Amino acid sequence: MTIRGVLFDFSGTLFRLELGDNWLDGLMDDAAAADLLRQLTAPTGRLEGLPPALHEAWDRRDLDPDLHREVHLAALANIGVPDAALAGKVYDRLLEPASWQAYPDTAAVLAELKAAGYPVGVLSNIAWDIRTVFDRHGVAALPDEYVLSYVEGRVKPDPELFRTGCARIGLDPAEVLMIGDSQEADGGAEAIGCAFALVPPLPTAQRPDALRAVLRTHGLLPA
């Protein structure tokens, strides 16, 4: 079938968590902070050195906001954040809209898809309301639907979550393109017949037009 609509992942696809230098107030060096940030926002896998007692909770973190906070604070303590107050500060900053930067083509491609009449959904493994990020960037009204794991009670790559996303934008899976930064998580859309395109979760300054390139390849935006 012809692609008639798009589902986008959130983190590493439309937006990226970018806190800048010294975001831990000098208590960790920049290299350690960058590694911590990478682990906390990875779409799959677990934090390095996470105790076995936290493995199940970590795997379920995107289903429950309270559990999400609890397991992150425990994990931060385990990997060297020195006290509970700082761990809480780090966690809170992960959820601040100002901490999330849009990729250079995010706003434009969402607006162009909207203008062209293509249904668009955001489908994310997440435990908080990411619409605050979209709102900060002035694009909250552009996606037609937000399908969030903690609301739906399922996480990618569960096929039912993708089926929900397709149904919410009113299309058969074979008519939908899923765009995300994880073959394992977002690529699960292929199991129900969606097309899938992988984009790299690079720093925003290093990925100016990956979304537009994918959409052009699939004929959704003009070349």
Side-chain angles (χ1 to χ4, degrees):
M1 289 188 184
T2 301
I3 299 298
R4 297 177 53 216
V6 184
L7 294 174
F8 288 99
D9 173 49
F10 167 64
S11 175
T13 301
L14 294 174
F15 294 87
R16 188 173 188 268
L17 183 64
E18 294 182 348
L19 300 177
D21 295 337
N22 300 316
W23 64 281
L24 286 182
D25 297 332
L27 292 170
M28 295 178 70
D29 63 32
D30 287 346
D35 182 63
L36 175 61
L37 192 63
R38 175 187 60 78
Q39 293 187 58
L40 290 175
T41 58
T44 58
R46 301 187 180 115
L47 285 174
E48 296 172 8
L50 192 69
L54 292 177
H55 285 183
E56 182 181 359
W58 183 260
D59 293 342
R60 296 180 53 249
R61 68 194 185 282
D62 289 326
L63 296 171
D64 182 334
D66 291 335
L67 180 63
H68 191 271
R69 181 180 180 86
E70 178 185 347
V71 73
H72 271 79
L73 295 182
L76 287 165
N78 183 70
I79 62 175
V81 177
D83 60 66
L86 179 59
K89 176 181 177 181
V90 172
Y91 179 81
D92 290 342
R93 291 200 68 186
L94 299 178
L95 276 59
E96 290 177 0
S99 298
W100 292 84
Q101 304 307 312
Y103 280 97
D105 54 350
T106 291
V109 300
L110 290 176
E112 290 171 38
L113 289 170
K114 185 81 167 182
Y118 291 111
V120 169
V122 176
L123 194 152
S124 177
N125 284 354
I126 203 77
W128 50 280
D129 192 349
I130 57 176
R131 286 172 290 193
T132 58
V133 176
F134 287 76
D135 187 59
R136 181 177 184 274
H137 289 266
V139 296
L142 296 180
D144 299 289
E145 295 288 340
Y146 292 84
V147 181
L148 310 180
S149 60
Y150 81 100
V151 175
E152 306 300 329
R154 298 179 183 274
V155 295
K156 295 178 288 188
D158 186 329
E160 291 304 319
L161 192 62
F162 296 109
R163 287 194 181 95
T164 296
C166 294
R168 296 276 176 82
I169 62 173
L171 296 176
D172 184 273
E175 300 174 307
V176 175
L177 171 65
M178 176 76 207
I179 302 176
D181 69 314
S182 170
Q183 179 69 52
E184 182 179 350
D186 304 310
E190 293 178 307
I192 66 165
C194 296
F196 171 64
L198 185 70
V199 291
L202 297 171
T204 55
Q206 297 177 24
R207 209 196 77 189
D209 59 358
L211 299 173
R212 182 176 297 281
V214 165
L215 293 167
R216 284 174 171 170
T217 296
H218 286 83
L220 297 173
L221 292 181

